[in-house]
Amino acid sequence: MAEGMHGKGKVVLAYSGGLDTSTILVWFVEQGYEVVAYLANIGQEEDFEAVKAKALKFGACKVVIPDLRREFVEEFIWPAIQANAKYEDRYLLGTSLARPLIARAMVQIAKDEGAQYVSHGATGKGNDQIRFELTSYALHPGIKVISPWREPEFYKRFPGRTELFEYAKLHGIPLPVTPKAPWSMDANLMHISYESGVLENPYNPAPDGLFNMTQDPENAPDKPEIIEIEFEKGVPVRVKNIDDGTEKTEPLDLFVYLNTVGGKHGIGRVDLVENRFIGMKSRGIYETPGGTILIEAHTDIEVFTMDREVRKIKRDLDIKFSDQVYKGFWFSPECEFTRFCISKSQEWVTGTVRIKLYKGGVYIMGRKSPFSLYNEELVSMNVQGDYEPRDAGGFIKINALRLQEYARLRSNSN
Amino acid sequence: MAEGMHGKGKVVLAYSGGLDTSTILVWFVEQGYEVVAYLANIGQEEDFEAVKAKALKFGACKVVIPDLRREFVEEFIWPAIQANAKYEDRYLLGTSLARPLIARAMVQIAKDEGAQYVSHGATGKGNDQIRFELTSYALHPGIKVISPWREPEFYKRFPGRTELFEYAKLHGIPLPVTPKAPWSMDANLMHISYESGVLENPYNPAPDGLFNMTQDPENAPDKPEIIEIEFEKGVPVRVKNIDDGTEKTEPLDLFVYLNTVGGKHGIGRVDLVENRFIGMKSRGIYETPGGTILIEAHTDIEVFTMDREVRKIKRDLDIKFSDQVYKGFWFSPECEFTRFCISKSQEWVTGTVRIKLYKGGVYIMGRKSPFSLYNEELVSMNVQGDYEPRDAGGFIKINALRLQEYARLRSNSN
Amino acid sequence: MAEGMHGKGKVVLAYSGGLDTSTILVWFVEQGYEVVAYLANIGQEEDFEAVKAKALKFGACKVVIPDLRREFVEEFIWPAIQANAKYEDRYLLGTSLARPLIARAMVQIAKDEGAQYVSHGATGKGNDQIRFELTSYALHPGIKVISPWREPEFYKRFPGRTELFEYAKLHGIPLPVTPKAPWSMDANLMHISYESGVLENPYNPAPDGLFNMTQDPENAPDKPEIIEIEFEKGVPVRVKNIDDGTEKTEPLDLFVYLNTVGGKHGIGRVDLVENRFIGMKSRGIYETPGGTILIEAHTDIEVFTMDREVRKIKRDLDIKFSDQVYKGFWFSPECEFTRFCISKSQEWVTGTVRIKLYKGGVYIMGRKSPFSLYNEELVSMNVQGDYEPRDAGGFIKINALRLQEYARLRSNSN
Amino acid sequence: MAEGMHGKGKVVLAYSGGLDTSTILVWFVEQGYEVVAYLANIGQEEDFEAVKAKALKFGACKVVIPDLRREFVEEFIWPAIQANAKYEDRYLLGTSLARPLIARAMVQIAKDEGAQYVSHGATGKGNDQIRFELTSYALHPGIKVISPWREPEFYKRFPGRTELFEYAKLHGIPLPVTPKAPWSMDANLMHISYESGVLENPYNPAPDGLFNMTQDPENAPDKPEIIEIEFEKGVPVRVKNIDDGTEKTEPLDLFVYLNTVGGKHGIGRVDLVENRFIGMKSRGIYETPGGTILIEAHTDIEVFTMDREVRKIKRDLDIKFSDQVYKGFWFSPECEFTRFCISKSQEWVTGTVRIKLYKGGVYIMGRKSPFSLYNEELVSMNVQGDYEPRDAGGFIKINALRLQEYARLRSNSN
């Protein structure tokens, strides 16, 4: 079918099945675009068949729903664990990590389907628009992006929820049960994030019943559970539940299992204010059970097996990585370089960490490794070995030399 | 009294009342030194009168026991809170912060008493010898330090515990109840640390009954407690218990109260391996109830009130500060400079954080500030204000330009 | 005169007297704006009276030409010298430093004149638009900026030089002598930059006759000249020509003198490719005689008087400062913070540097300072003092400990 | 031959043929050591046969003089060029780079010869002792180092030059022509450094006749010379003299040629004060002709071909690398990691730089590359392409958002 027949060409739309993207879909069709609806399975709870049916009903010429869960874990979450990645020290980047993956598949579909455009329903004030689009441009520099919530012809047509609802009724788009969602959420395998609505007042606590992946710590089991996580080159390769013997080794299984057991114990809830790339502060609430456990465990085995000075350099890279990912630059020369260097640092990050999970807490209990740089004999107060205590005196004196000179020359103290 | 009368001059000895420093005291007297015994009150549990009596009995010519608790909180702990200070991401520096304070007072006593020497009982493999001595040299470049555990004439005389015990018996120094302590500990207002002995095997979990400041989370109250901490310029100025109305505003009181309530809820236990300055890895277990709560709360209010880009620079300084303090360089040009800059960054870090304490967990619930840079209206999805969504499109396109060029020039993709 | 009379309100236009900004001026008047023409005297060669006459002739209701040279030197160049500021290791930021100053005055005029708009003739691909506008928004958040070269109604009216020339002829705007300038330049007290035109091919050498502030090194005097620069707290307070006795102490005089003597000896030419904020690489040629001498001298006296570890931290801040300034963020929380910290680091950067200027080269010959941390006696191979060589052995052994452990544990080498 | 026969075992001594190491050699033999004299050919001017004869005469059981020039250039200088390595912004690390190479070979000889010890004549206040010994311990953790100038039995025997001279006369060791050298120097392929003696007064200029590798710029040719350097992956692979057609491609030849042509034009002299690892400041004068040219050229081609953000990260690594190398940590986990990452960044650093050499100056004239990220068309003011100027407006507005908010919330300005 020629482009001419549809007037405006073909667009791949990241479609969720919700009110906003359904409206966008219908609007695109109205405008004369041919629409390929695209929904990534990244582990969110979803009735994918129902979404597909909806898309077709609203005029999509095709619906593509790839299962990206494996890639998500292996290509995106694992590098983030290696980087102990936290944006501004606290946010574990659950959404930030999923966006480049979703956009990569979207761009691939655009190439496969010969579409000139990609589109998404992200708002004009958020980070996600940036993450989607930077990825699209980076992987397909000639692509054109249509972001309806930034197009005056679209957003002036729908200045408020009222107009959106009217349009939806007119076109048979199902309305949400509540007229105004009390908050918005984004879910994937790694986390669920909550923001806006009642959460916009940063002093309001998270309402009861907000969370979906994690038990409230107060309702979590009274009995702790002990697990062990084994890492190879900074990547988890085995989780073992010491209490019931469960073992997982396949990456996706392993991660899902950590979500389950972590969620059960109420692990990984955070309430924070963060700085968006766009320059404003926003309040977000996150639950990241498996990711939280893994970063705690990985940090522990990393310090145990990595040289101190290498880790200092690597930590600087970690901070850069987190910033790059948050801002949507996963597919960029700098993030590729950073990931490459971090990955190199993980060569010996191999070993096992024992962890207690209890009512929201992740408690490291011990660790072991065939490649540890920890030397029990050397550190022991009871063993001298060929460590010569006098050397420490020289070490201190030489380190003090600069300080003494400073004191003498600056203050003419004795 | 002339130096000649004592042969070797006067030494100020950091004296704990324990076996090691009592032995050192006796040995110094034997060698012909005049010994001023010095014990800093930095909030540890101690019968100070009993220690004083012991020191005099073992031959000290004088005993000085200053109360340094206020200085500890205001001059050392507060700057560390402003810096969100954690060494290697996890250790809150409880011992590292106390050492320069203790050594500063020690050096002052040496000046006051006309002593030529200072001395301590720290071992030759640890960090504390470095922290004591760098401070001493920095503040009193002409001082001489005697570190018996690095002096061959001393440590060859006491190659093992056996010789130490014999000597102790001979001189009436009380022996510890257990012949070999299962671990060693260091306590002050901020934390208690545990290391060596059975803890040297890094895979062994912390034994039952190890901890002193904190309840085991499993035995902590089933009912959470809500507190609010108010900060001014990055320093806590008020703690309020929302449940029972308790309020504390005086720095020392406030910190002690946070230790109490934090300890009750099992807050602040960590088990980690760290890299000593001396170059070896060691395993440490720490409990830091009040400090843990404060760093969580401070981080939260800081992100809320501080510009994003200022905080990025400040975070680099935080990491440097933690390193400097860990290594014993509190009194150094670089640490003074770093503290000065960090302190400047705190100008607007004023506001209140609400926190739930529950079974080992510190949960931020919300925050408010008269100087927040958070703008609820700007961030709202429902309010456009003079924010122009199209601008975000330009922002993204310009950010993408470099990525597109890279893709085009590197891969000749379209 | 009421706004209504002019339809569109009042605009302060950064006016150079050249073809572009004259066209913009006429166009603004045509569109119904009241235009205040504004030209900053920042030390460029210019017939200010002629520019003023032109602006009035083309319809400006007022012309403001403040002399900003003193502020430029004291408030902008001096902090850059303290920061040894070079963008990407080579560009001395001559234009970047002037822009926030120019924009600050522009915004002040807008406030004084009650103008709703500011405007400039910078192109849509460069850095200067960003520097002008970020400053404007930072200092006057409610201001509106009109950037004609980014306004379709303007740039579509003038798609090429032809249309511009026709319009100019029609309105009596004098045309440049050559129809197509072989390059463009930007001049101020600190430097002249050259770009575009024949310089766009980065392999083409700078054409003969390009430079204006500096002699070609090949034509510079055959006899070197010796000067001394005295710094106080990182700022030059005296320049003395050792050969002819000339002395300058007033900041503007001193800087102009360094330009003169530096220019005479061909100092400060660089040819480089740089990364614009906008994401593209561009080629620039710069001549910065006085600035080049000052940064060489300042670096020297700084290392001489500043503690090593303070300088390491300060150097990181220098790099950040250069980046901030290049990108137009002089007036930003982060640049204010960075300048504050750098300034603190300069407390003791006081002393004198002796320099030889010769055919393009700046050769440091020696330095002295009342606050140096250099200790001739300590460093001497012939004086041992209380430096104990054995200590160095301990220092090395302890530094080696980590390396030996690494070798032993990683490679099982002996 | 059993160790017992020689009493003390076998030592590999880094032997220069000079007074100090000859004395050490004789002293070792006196003490009952078997001495292997070792002299590395790293490009210094030397009569190697004469040194060999001397060593044998003074009692060495063997003399080993490996030619390390190729390794020096390819394994040590090239990585430093890739890192644009300058310690404290100015020192090109000529000595620092040679030490790990010399020590690596020394340790290898110790292994080959079954020696228990290595030894060198470096003083107890300098950096070289550290560089030698850290390398030795890192590559051969079981080795023992004897550093006579730190051994009381040695340095107390030779407290001044007088005792040394007497001992030398007694044992037929030739004395230097001048009783007290006016300065000391260290020469290799990359540079010659000068320090101590009359140079210890940092205000004294370098005396006439100090330099050996470079012509005084004042006496350098009046006619400039143009060369081109071609890089592949950050390493120079071809130098071409445009004036006379000379070409060099083999690494050692190429580097020697750059020294020759650079030296002829007086390139690469610096006079500076630096911070030794040991904590004191010292004054050094260096001449590094080829290295200076290469770093200028490499920096240029790097900016031309490397992504801006990658280079920002890489520059941080460069600074770390320079520090590591200066301090003697070439063979360390952190320096290996740093080199690995830097090397990765050089993948596309390929192209040609044209340079004018003239009287001490290195002037970049232009550059070209098949992998440049410079896009002449994109940057041109005369070509719009698909660059949309309006986008820059959005970019600026979004960047300004944070600044406007800051101004509004902090100062309540309009």
Side-chain angles (χ1 to χ4, degrees), chain C residues 2 41 45 94 99 115 117 125 131 134 137 215 217 229 234 246 293 306 316 324 358 368 383 390 404:
Chain C
N41 176 0
E45 291 286 320
R99 293 310 183 205
Y117 304 97
K125 284 184 175 175
R131 295 168 186 150
L134 289 185
Y137 292 129
Q215 188 56 265
I229 305 180
T246 310
I293 297 170
M306 191 180 287
D316 282 356
Q324 292 159 358
Y358 176 66
K368 61 183 178 185
V383 183
R390 289 208 87 149
Q404 290 173 295

Short mmCIF file of all heavy atoms in Angstrom, two decimals, chain C residues 2 41 45 94 99 115 117 125 131 134 137 215 217 229 234 246 293 306 316 324 358 368 383 390 404:
data_model
loop_
_atom_site.label_atom_id
_atom_site.label_comp_id
_atom_site.label_asym_id
_atom_site.label_seq_id
_atom_site.Cartn_x
_atom_site.Cartn_y
_atom_site.Cartn_z
N ALA C 2 3.40 55.39 25.19
CA ALA C 2 2.73 54.15 25.62
C ALA C 2 3.09 52.98 24.71
O ALA C 2 3.39 53.17 23.53
CB ALA C 2 1.22 54.33 25.62
N ASN C 41 30.92 48.38 25.60
CA ASN C 41 32.35 48.59 25.38
C ASN C 41 33.11 47.62 26.27
O ASN C 41 33.21 47.80 27.48
CB ASN C 41 32.71 50.04 25.73
CG ASN C 41 34.22 50.28 25.63
OD1 ASN C 41 34.98 49.36 25.30
ND2 ASN C 41 34.64 51.51 25.91
N GLU C 45 38.07 47.31 19.43
CA GLU C 45 38.34 48.50 18.59
C GLU C 45 37.02 48.89 17.94
O GLU C 45 36.42 48.11 17.22
CB GLU C 45 39.34 48.15 17.48
CG GLU C 45 40.75 47.86 17.94
CD GLU C 45 41.48 49.14 18.33
OE1 GLU C 45 41.30 50.17 17.63
OE2 GLU C 45 42.21 49.11 19.35
N GLY C 94 37.80 33.58 25.95
CA GLY C 94 37.67 35.03 25.79
C GLY C 94 36.24 35.50 25.48
O GLY C 94 35.74 36.46 26.08
N ARG C 99 30.30 37.26 27.37
CA ARG C 99 28.86 37.18 27.12
C ARG C 99 28.01 37.41 28.36
O ARG C 99 27.04 38.16 28.31
CB ARG C 99 28.49 35.84 26.47
CG ARG C 99 29.03 35.64 25.06
CD ARG C 99 28.73 36.80 24.18
NE ARG C 99 29.20 36.57 22.82
CZ ARG C 99 29.50 37.56 21.99
NH1 ARG C 99 29.41 38.83 22.35
NH2 ARG C 99 29.90 37.27 20.77
N ALA C 115 11.66 47.62 29.31
CA ALA C 115 11.49 46.83 28.07
C ALA C 115 11.03 45.41 28.42
O ALA C 115 11.44 44.86 29.45
CB ALA C 115 12.81 46.78 27.31
N TYR C 117 11.45 42.95 26.18
CA TYR C 117 12.24 42.03 25.37
C TYR C 117 13.72 42.41 25.35
O TYR C 117 14.06 43.60 25.45
CB TYR C 117 11.76 42.06 23.90
CG TYR C 117 10.31 41.75 23.75
CD1 TYR C 117 9.37 42.79 23.63
CD2 TYR C 117 9.86 40.44 23.71
CE1 TYR C 117 8.02 42.51 23.49
CE2 TYR C 117 8.51 40.15 23.56
CZ TYR C 117 7.58 41.19 23.46
OH TYR C 117 6.26 40.91 23.33
N LYS C 125 23.17 28.47 15.48
CA LYS C 125 24.00 27.26 15.59
C LYS C 125 25.13 27.41 16.61
O LYS C 125 25.91 26.48 16.81
CB LYS C 125 24.64 26.93 14.23
CG LYS C 125 23.69 26.30 13.23
CD LYS C 125 24.43 25.93 11.96
CE LYS C 125 23.53 25.19 10.98
NZ LYS C 125 24.20 24.93 9.70
N ARG C 131 24.63 31.67 25.67
CA ARG C 131 25.23 32.46 26.75
C ARG C 131 24.42 33.73 27.02
O ARG C 131 24.17 34.08 28.16
CB ARG C 131 26.67 32.82 26.37
CG ARG C 131 27.57 31.60 26.26
CD ARG C 131 28.90 31.95 25.61
NE ARG C 131 29.72 30.77 25.36
CZ ARG C 131 30.59 30.66 24.35
NH1 ARG C 131 30.75 31.66 23.49
NH2 ARG C 131 31.30 29.57 24.21
N LEU C 134 20.77 32.42 28.51
CA LEU C 134 20.78 31.85 29.86
C LEU C 134 21.02 32.95 30.88
O LEU C 134 20.37 32.98 31.93
CB LEU C 134 21.85 30.75 29.98
CG LEU C 134 21.56 29.45 29.23
CD1 LEU C 134 22.64 28.42 29.54
CD2 LEU C 134 20.18 28.88 29.58
N TYR C 137 17.75 34.99 31.24
CA TYR C 137 16.71 34.29 32.01
C TYR C 137 17.10 34.15 33.48
O TYR C 137 16.26 34.22 34.37
CB TYR C 137 16.44 32.91 31.41
CG TYR C 137 15.79 32.93 30.05
CD1 TYR C 137 16.32 32.20 28.99
CD2 TYR C 137 14.62 33.66 29.82
CE1 TYR C 137 15.72 32.19 27.74
CE2 TYR C 137 14.01 33.66 28.56
CZ TYR C 137 14.56 32.93 27.52
OH TYR C 137 13.96 32.93 26.30
N GLN C 215 51.44 39.99 16.96
CA GLN C 215 52.43 39.91 15.91
C GLN C 215 52.64 38.45 15.53
O GLN C 215 52.53 37.57 16.39
CB GLN C 215 53.75 40.45 16.51
CG GLN C 215 54.87 40.65 15.55
CD GLN C 215 54.52 41.54 14.39
OE1 GLN C 215 54.13 41.04 13.32
NE2 GLN C 215 54.56 42.85 14.59
N PRO C 217 54.77 35.42 15.33
CA PRO C 217 56.02 35.12 16.04
C PRO C 217 57.25 35.28 15.15
O PRO C 217 58.30 35.73 15.62
CB PRO C 217 55.83 33.66 16.49
CG PRO C 217 54.36 33.50 16.65
CD PRO C 217 53.74 34.39 15.59
N ILE C 229 55.42 39.17 37.20
CA ILE C 229 54.03 39.38 37.58
C ILE C 229 53.88 39.00 39.05
O ILE C 229 54.30 37.92 39.47
CB ILE C 229 53.07 38.53 36.73
CG1 ILE C 229 53.31 38.81 35.24
CG2 ILE C 229 51.61 38.82 37.09
CD1 ILE C 229 52.40 38.01 34.32
N GLY C 234 45.82 35.00 44.17
CA GLY C 234 45.51 34.47 42.85
C GLY C 234 45.21 35.51 41.80
O GLY C 234 44.89 35.17 40.65
N THR C 246 58.92 49.54 33.17
CA THR C 246 57.48 49.82 33.18
C THR C 246 56.79 49.04 34.30
O THR C 246 57.09 47.86 34.49
CB THR C 246 56.84 49.39 31.84
OG1 THR C 246 57.61 49.95 30.78
CG2 THR C 246 55.39 49.83 31.75
N ILE C 293 49.66 34.67 29.02
CA ILE C 293 50.76 34.94 29.98
C ILE C 293 50.26 34.74 31.41
O ILE C 293 50.92 34.09 32.23
CB ILE C 293 51.28 36.38 29.81
CG1 ILE C 293 51.88 36.57 28.40
CG2 ILE C 293 52.32 36.70 30.88
CD1 ILE C 293 52.20 38.02 28.05
N MET C 306 50.34 26.40 46.89
CA MET C 306 49.15 25.66 47.30
C MET C 306 49.51 24.23 47.65
O MET C 306 50.34 23.61 46.98
CB MET C 306 48.12 25.67 46.16
CG MET C 306 46.75 25.15 46.56
SD MET C 306 45.58 25.19 45.18
CE MET C 306 45.27 26.94 45.08
N ASP C 316 39.92 19.88 39.70
CA ASP C 316 38.62 19.36 39.26
C ASP C 316 37.61 20.49 39.15
O ASP C 316 36.79 20.53 38.22
CB ASP C 316 38.09 18.34 40.28
CG ASP C 316 38.77 16.99 40.15
OD1 ASP C 316 39.58 16.82 39.23
OD2 ASP C 316 38.48 16.11 40.98
N GLN C 324 31.29 25.18 32.65
CA GLN C 324 30.13 26.02 32.97
C GLN C 324 30.17 27.32 32.17
O GLN C 324 29.17 27.76 31.60
CB GLN C 324 30.12 26.35 34.47
CG GLN C 324 29.87 25.15 35.37
CD GLN C 324 30.37 25.37 36.80
OE1 GLN C 324 30.96 26.40 37.13
NE2 GLN C 324 30.15 24.39 37.65
N TYR C 358 59.21 35.54 24.30
CA TYR C 358 60.08 35.49 23.12
C TYR C 358 59.40 34.75 21.98
O TYR C 358 59.13 33.56 22.09
CB TYR C 358 61.41 34.82 23.47
CG TYR C 358 62.31 34.64 22.27
CD1 TYR C 358 62.86 35.74 21.60
CD2 TYR C 358 62.60 33.37 21.78
CE1 TYR C 358 63.66 35.56 20.48
CE2 TYR C 358 63.41 33.19 20.67
CZ TYR C 358 63.94 34.29 20.03
OH TYR C 358 64.72 34.12 18.91
N LYS C 368 59.00 33.32 43.40
CA LYS C 368 59.26 33.49 44.83
C LYS C 368 57.95 33.90 45.51
O LYS C 368 57.06 34.45 44.86
CB LYS C 368 60.34 34.56 45.06
CG LYS C 368 59.97 35.94 44.55
CD LYS C 368 61.11 36.94 44.73
CE LYS C 368 60.71 38.29 44.15
NZ LYS C 368 61.78 39.29 44.18
N VAL C 383 71.17 18.24 52.66
CA VAL C 383 70.76 18.53 54.02
C VAL C 383 69.78 17.44 54.44
O VAL C 383 68.80 17.18 53.75
CB VAL C 383 70.05 19.91 54.10
CG1 VAL C 383 69.69 20.23 55.54
CG2 VAL C 383 70.91 21.00 53.49
N ARG C 390 64.93 6.38 56.50
CA ARG C 390 64.31 5.07 56.74
C ARG C 390 62.79 5.14 56.62
O ARG C 390 62.14 4.16 56.27
CB ARG C 390 64.63 4.57 58.16
CG ARG C 390 66.06 4.16 58.34
CD ARG C 390 66.16 3.09 59.42
NE ARG C 390 65.97 1.78 58.80
CZ ARG C 390 66.54 0.67 59.25
NH1 ARG C 390 67.32 0.73 60.32
NH2 ARG C 390 66.33 -0.47 58.65
N GLN C 404 51.58 -6.16 46.41
CA GLN C 404 52.09 -7.52 46.63
C GLN C 404 50.96 -8.50 46.85
O GLN C 404 50.94 -9.60 46.30
CB GLN C 404 53.02 -7.53 47.85
CG GLN C 404 54.33 -6.80 47.60
CD GLN C 404 55.14 -6.69 48.87
OE1 GLN C 404 54.74 -6.03 49.82
NE2 GLN C 404 56.30 -7.33 48.91
#
